[in-house]
Amino acid sequence: MIKIMDEGEVAHVYWGQKLDHFESLDCKDMGKASGLAPLYRNGFSLGDLPQEYSSNQSTDFREPSYVVRSSSGSTMSSLKFKSHEIYNGKAALEGLPATYVDSDSQAQTLLLTMTDEMIGLEVILSYTVFENSNAIARSVKFTNNGSENISILRALSVNIDFVQREFEVLHLAGSWLRERSIIREPLRPGTKTIQSKRGSSSHQHNPFMALLESGVNEDHGDVYGFSFVYSGNFIAQAEVDQHGSTRVQLGINPHDFTWKLEPSKSFQCPEVILVYSCNGMGGMSRTYHNLYRKHLCRGKYRDISRPILANSWEGMYFDYTADDIVDFAGYAKDLGIELVVMDDGWFGNRDAHVIDGEPTSGLGDWYANKKKIPDDISGLAIRVEQKGIAFGLWIEPEMISENSELYRKHPDWCMRVAGRKMHPSRYQHILDLSRKDVCDYLSELIANILRQGPIAYVKWDMNRYMTNIGSAAFPADRQQEIGHRYILGLYGILERLVSEFSDVLFESCSGGGGRFDPGMLYYMPQTWTSDNSDAVSRVGIQLGTSIVYPAISMGCHVSAVPNHQTGRITPLKLRADVAMMGNLGYELDLGKLTSVDSELIKEQISFYKCIRNTVQFGDMYRLNEMSGKCVHGVQYISPDRMEIVVFVYMLQARPNSSGIRIKLKGLCPDGKYTSGTTSKILSASELMQHGLDVKLESGDHSSSIIQLSCCKTKM
Ligand code: DGJ
């Protein structure tokens, strides 16, 4: 609920559970100035008003939603309501990823126009509500209607003021190989900030924050989620003020960001998806999962199950030839795998100069290395296809090695600050995607590769953070636009490629999960979740990821033991049971499997084929109440509630254990379910109230998957 105050200030009144009736809509005391508050107008201070979009230096000392510098040099500004419009449907955001609807009846959008007349600034706040979803998409557009330039120093996408509520904050933090741990902490007076200044959404912090009322658990309590549909630098803040009110903001990070807005030009901020849940964390997650699956991911693969793949990386690294890949495809096919992916190492002079296991050359030279792949990509793809399995390719197009033909030819295409030393990471630099010529070159180059042969899948990697942020193509007063312009350039390339190659399945990757964000999911419907493929680590990483992202978006692979990242040895069963929580794949030398392991993998694959629709398209419930016991559980239930799959993992043995009983969730209330392995028929109420007894083998690293089907909907 929004209120336009007497003099045009736009106040935030309420967001939460649907209200039957609301008496206080005149909201007389809203904005009444508290002690020592400077007055915006008589008796009224913006610092005491919950607002939809807060401004700078206009009697509100909390964080502003935007800061602009006008030609006078001043950064003072305030906005007044001008007009509003409501339409059915949801318009696309030019050049940016965003949620969408298939028909106008699925959503309604409110546009609220505010202006700062003195400097000719127009700000349009956009709100979309979706049919049958507790989600609101918000974004903001700035237009300079004046005759002088305006500099935008801060342009956040959302501002919400909660009046006098006590919250905990939940966010997803970590590092490379340790992405998206769930962090939950109380909010105290002051500001809690999470952000990325690394040029990408990052391994360290996901562009997401949630506020939780005290006592919230998986199933109960009020939760407010904020998820940013963007892949670059972001900031998310929760500020508790002097009166115990909380302001939440999310948007492009103002750090190193300034945008010169010329007269009659506009700047579009990316969107934030707000989700309200009165059903705890689980309710919030399922709302995000459904929305992102159906209204963010696009293309052919939105609605069809994802192939089981085998990736060459951990099995062969750079050490392979076309013949090895064809053999790999043959082994994979025998196991029931559907797609083979040739990872890093196939192009240019990639592994000619290796330091400490890292190649120092080749990125930018996207043609097959004839010594390794004599028949080119097209020849190899055909040979793989002849094995009866689809072919996929790894690329890392945003990067450039100093030791590459591309760099020697176009050193100015590299992102750099003139005169400053370059700072390589993984011996690579970043191509300047703020430049149109570089973007045109790259999209044509990749399109040509994809046109060459039957390539069914692309793994799009990006393996470094941004430093030396500068572009030779832009003047000094636009250098602070480069980080955002890079992301816009990337989105432009991806849009072009996914439109032309709509049959290709794209998976995004950034040193594993360094760019696992909704922006990337708009173009590529799955993401390699983490470079850490250890089953024990993966349980935590995948559960953390599931807070926002659906199972169908997570690439999850079974790899060899001892695990290459942790050295841990876990049973093949646990590794597969964990990988089946998302999109199953295998990433190990399939030619070296023992016959026992081969048979086990065949069984795993045929089992996954039976459950994957439920995992990939079903509702997910985290059965977290068990986590204190070193046991984790996840349940998926098909949309028609006929099929259930429950995963139970005991990562550490529990001595003197009395067994594990888990209560299932979200079942068809009058349903009767059978497991297929026993003749027992269990009622939904028994499964949800009494619970299901699960037997696990004793010892560390045991796991079980229980599959149940609804046999009747009435007892
Ligand atoms: C990082 C990715 O996350 C890995 O899976 C692999 O593709 C390497 N890059 C290749 O360089």
Side-chain angles (χ1 to χ4, degrees):
M1 275 196 276
I2 297 167
K3 181 171 167 65
I4 311 300
M5 305 295 287
D6 292 346
E7 295 197 16
E9 302 86 11
V10 180
H12 172 77
V13 180
Y14 178 79
W15 171 41
Q17 197 159 161
K18 192 170 180 177
L19 306 179
D20 298 337
H21 183 68
F22 190 68
E23 274 295 334
S24 5
L25 203 50
D26 57 353
C27 305
K28 266 202 233 80
D29 288 336
M30 282 182 86
K32 190 171 167 204
S34 58
L36 292 186
L39 300 184
Y40 185 68
R41 56 184 165 80
N42 244 355
F44 178 94
S45 171
L46 285 178
D48 291 294
L49 184 74
Q51 289 163 74
E52 288 299 316
Y53 207 61
S54 54
S55 50
N56 191 37
Q57 286 199 34
S58 293
T59 72
D60 186 352
F61 296 102
R62 295 168 292 178
E63 293 285 352
S65 308
Y66 73 102
V67 178
V68 292
R69 189 172 48 229
S70 64
S71 56
S72 72
S74 164
T75 55
M76 181 169 178
S77 174
S78 62
L79 296 168
K80 291 229 156 130
F81 171 77
K82 187 171 173 211
S83 62
H84 85 282
E85 179 195 337
I86 294 176
Y87 66 90
N88 289 334
K90 182 175 193 288
L93 295 190
E94 209 190 318
L96 285 167
T99 50
Y100 64 91
V101 285
D102 295 319
S103 77
D104 284 351
S105 61
Q106 292 178 340
Q108 218 173 35
T109 300
L110 161 71
L111 298 180
L112 220 152
T113 302
M114 302 160 82
T115 54
D116 180 339
E117 295 292 346
M118 187 169 161
I119 57 171
L121 179 68
E122 177 188 88
V123 176
I124 301 180
L125 308 185
S126 167
Y127 303 73
T128 299
V129 290
F130 299 86
E131 186 186 54
N132 301 327
S133 174
N134 284 327
I136 302 177
R138 279 188 62 171
S139 64
V140 180
K141 184 176 177 182
F142 288 77
T143 301
N144 182 352
N145 289 330
S147 52
E148 306 280 344
N149 289 340
I150 290 175
S151 297
I152 302 178
L153 309 178
R154 179 181 175 96
L156 302 186
S157 298
V158 73
N159 182 97
I160 290 269
D161 288 336
F162 294 92
V163 177
Q164 293 177 24
R165 305 255 310 256
E166 276 194 23
F167 288 116
E168 289 176 86
V169 62
L170 184 145
H171 55 103
L172 304 171
S175 180
W176 178 57
L177 304 181
R178 289 189 273 109
E179 297 90 345
R180 291 174 295 285
S181 294
I182 301 172
I183 312 289
R184 186 172 167 169
E185 54 193 301
L187 274 180
R188 296 272 177 255
T191 304
K192 170 76 194 177
T193 301
I194 58 160
Q195 61 182 319
S196 168
K197 296 190 268 189
R198 293 168 185 262
S200 56
S201 48
S202 89
H203 299 89
Q204 287 71 14
H205 294 286
N206 200 254
F208 164 78
M209 185 180 254
L211 296 196
L212 282 53
E213 282 217 309
S214 68
V216 160
N217 64 16
E218 273 299 317
D219 304 309
H220 303 288
D222 275 4
V223 178
Y224 297 86
F226 301 81
S227 163
F228 196 27
V229 187
Y230 187 63
S231 313
N233 288 343
F234 74 92
I235 190 166
Q237 292 188 319
E239 178 185 10
V240 179
D241 77 1
Q242 56 178 340
H243 304 301
S245 294
T246 304
R247 168 166 289 177
V248 181
Q249 298 180 324
L250 189 44
I252 293 177
N253 199 331
H255 170 84
D256 263 350
F257 169 84
T258 303
W259 194 273
K260 181 169 148 191
L261 197 63
E262 290 168 333
S264 76
K265 294 277 190 233
S266 295
F267 179 83
Q268 175 65 58
C269 303
E271 78 177 11
V272 172
I273 305 299
L274 282 68
V275 165
Y276 165 71
S277 161
C278 59
N279 298 316
M281 297 301 307
M284 180 198 71
S285 296
R286 283 184 294 282
T287 304
Y288 277 121
H289 296 173
N290 279 321
L291 193 78
Y292 286 172
R293 231 173 13 214
K294 294 184 198 140
H295 296 289
L296 180 69
C297 293
R298 299 176 294 166
K300 172 176 151 184
Y301 281 95
R302 184 185 78 167
D303 301 317
I304 59 172
S305 51
R306 305 289 165 78
I308 301 168
L309 64 81
N311 180 298
S312 65
W313 181 241
E314 285 200 24
M316 299 185 235
Y317 293 105
F318 299 98
D319 187 15
Y320 61 77
T321 63
D323 289 346
D324 296 324
I325 297 293
V326 174
D327 289 346
F328 188 56
Y331 302 133
K333 171 71 185 168
D334 289 345
L335 295 168
I337 290 171
E338 297 154 322
L339 167 77
V340 149
V341 182
M342 178 165 70
D343 209 283
D344 198 350
W346 58 270
F347 53 92
N349 230 355
R350 179 59 169 151
D351 46 349
H353 311 279
V354 179
I355 302 179
D356 290 337
E358 296 281 18
T360 60
S361 55
L363 291 167
D365 299 339
W366 297 107
Y367 53 83
N369 177 332
K370 289 279 176 194
K371 279 192 211 136
K372 290 176 145 187
I373 321 284
D375 300 332
D376 228 321
I377 293 299
S378 51
L380 174 58
I382 290 168
R383 286 178 71 197
V384 167
E385 258 208 348
Q386 282 164 352
K387 291 272 175 193
I389 189 165
F391 176 73
L393 193 64
W394 176 97
I395 47 174
E396 193 181 0
E398 299 163 62
M399 297 292 135
I400 182 165
S401 310
E402 228 166 295
N403 188 355
S404 68
E405 287 165 31
L406 186 69
Y407 188 89
R408 285 185 279 276
K409 204 163 158 199
H410 293 289
D412 54 324
W413 280 11
C414 191
M415 202 180 253
R416 67 167 85 235
V417 177
R420 297 261 175 207
K421 184 175 174 291
M422 300 285 280
H423 300 298
S425 172
R426 225 190 174 211
Y427 301 98
Q428 60 199 55
H429 302 298
I430 303 181
L431 276 173
D432 180 1
L433 300 194
S434 68
R435 294 175 68 129
K436 187 173 175 312
D437 51 355
V438 176
C439 292
D440 288 347
Y441 166 84
L442 262 192
S443 29
E444 197 43 37
L445 181 93
I446 297 156
N448 274 332
I449 298 174
L450 297 180
R451 282 181 205 126
Q452 271 179 42
I455 298 173
Y457 162 104
V458 167
K459 177 175 171 190
W460 183 293
D461 207 348
M462 195 284 264
N463 285 303
R464 66 156 293 173
Y465 306 124
M466 239 181 235
T467 59
N468 303 74
I469 303 164
S471 171
F474 286 87
D477 62 355
R478 291 211 180 263
Q479 290 299 314
Q480 294 222 308
E481 298 177 7
I482 302 306
H484 180 56
R485 282 187 184 275
Y486 176 95
I487 299 292
L488 295 178
L490 171 65
Y491 288 155
I493 297 173
L494 292 173
E495 184 62 37
R496 189 181 147 186
L497 292 172
V498 301
S499 312
E500 181 175 343
F501 301 97
S502 52
D503 281 341
V504 174
L505 172 61
F506 285 83
E507 175 156 352
S508 90
C509 172
S510 178
R515 219 164 44 180
F516 203 136
D517 60 61
M520 281 293 137
L521 285 180
Y522 180 71
Y523 303 98
M524 308 195 238
Q526 59 190 61
T527 304
W528 176 227
T529 310
S530 174
D531 271 350
N532 186 344
S533 61
D534 167 52
V536 172
S537 312
R538 270 299 184 116
V539 170
I541 293 171
Q542 291 169 195
L543 283 173
T545 305
S546 80
I547 292 286
V548 184
Y549 305 99
I552 196 168
S553 65
M554 292 187 222
C556 305
H557 298 176
V558 174
S559 61
V561 287
N563 178 267
H564 294 193
Q565 296 80 39
T566 61
R568 196 171 354 237
I569 297 178
T570 53
L572 182 52
K573 174 165 168 50
L574 178 78
R575 283 176 271 152
D577 286 0
V578 172
M580 287 191 210
M581 254 177 84
N583 289 329
L584 175 67
Y586 288 81
E587 191 165 328
L588 68 174
D589 189 344
L590 299 177
K592 291 204 179 120
L593 293 176
T594 63
S595 55
V596 174
D597 283 354
S598 290
E599 284 314 306
L600 194 54
I601 290 179
K602 276 186 197 163
E603 283 167 27
Q604 292 168 349
I605 288 171
S606 76
F607 177 70
Y608 185 70
K609 286 177 182 168
C610 302
I611 62 164
R612 76 173 145 189
N613 278 343
T614 307
V615 171
Q616 295 180 6
F617 300 104
D619 280 340
M620 183 207 203
Y621 291 83
R622 287 177 295 269
L623 306 172
N624 264 7
E625 61 268 31
M626 300 184 300
S627 56
K629 302 174 193 161
C630 291
V631 177
H632 302 267
V634 185
Q635 175 202 320
Y636 299 85
I637 181 163
S638 60
D640 61 6
R641 296 196 270 182
M642 300 300 278
E643 300 295 329
I644 299 172
V645 190
V646 181
F647 296 81
V648 183
Y649 310 111
M650 187 162 73
L651 301 180
Q652 271 189 309
R654 238 178 114 207
N656 193 20
S657 154
S658 54
I660 290 156
R661 178 172 295 173
I662 49 171
K663 286 183 177 179
L664 304 194
K665 300 179 186 177
L667 275 49
C668 198
D670 53 7
K672 287 170 91 180
Y673 291 84
T674 165
S675 87
T677 51
T678 73
S679 52
K680 276 196 203 143
I681 293 181
L682 303 165
S683 72
S685 59
E686 179 180 341
L687 290 165
M688 292 198 289
Q689 307 308 329
H690 168 270
L692 179 72
D693 288 321
V694 180
K695 286 199 181 61
L696 289 174
E697 282 183 14
S698 61
D700 293 346
H701 307 152
S702 63
S703 58
S704 176
I705 305 181
I706 302 118
Q707 194 188 4
L708 296 161
S709 300
C710 187
C711 49
K712 279 191 207 150
T713 52
K714 289 251 180 288
M715 288 301 278

